[in-house]
Amino acid sequence: MLLAHRIRIDATAIQRDYFARAAGTARRVWNWALAEWNRQAACGLRPNAMALKKVFNRIKYSDPDWLDADGKPWLRAIHRDAHAQPFANLAKAWSRYFE
């Protein structure tokens, strides 16, 4: 016999906005990491997701691509897991691809 639970999240408008921004952040970080992975592979290097994460952590609060219109890092407003988890997911995706 299978048991299942249905959980409904009844988010407020503020929470829905945050969830959307967190998901968008994760996607943007994923796209950055994938582009960097492909760039390194094209140069004959052997990309590593954790090395990419270290590079990202160095630039995320200073690179103009990751700053808002006022020059402030907008990633500080989103929980760190939204911009940390995409690197683990990318590593897992590539390992499954090569298997």
Side-chain angles (χ1 to χ4, degrees), residues 31 45 62 86 88 97:
N31 289 341
L45 301 172
S62 60
Y97 173 77

Side-chain angles (χ1 to χ4, degrees), residues 4-66:
H5 296 281
R6 283 187 162 190
I7 299 172
R8 180 176 172 212
I9 298 175
D10 192 17
T12 65
I14 293 170
Q15 290 169 330
R16 284 192 301 271
D17 177 63
Y18 179 80
F19 294 154
R21 287 186 295 123
T25 297
R27 184 58 183 198
R28 185 167 177 191
V29 171
W30 168 276
N31 289 341
W32 178 89
L34 182 60
E36 191 63 24
W37 184 290
N38 289 333
R39 186 191 66 76
Q40 288 182 10
C43 291
L45 301 172
R46 188 169 179 181
N48 176 301
M50 294 306 113
L52 287 177
K53 184 176 178 182
K54 286 180 182 180
V55 170
F56 180 74
N57 284 336
R58 279 197 309 267
I59 68 165
K60 68 183 177 184
Y61 295 138
S62 60
D63 189 283
D65 290 338
W66 300 97

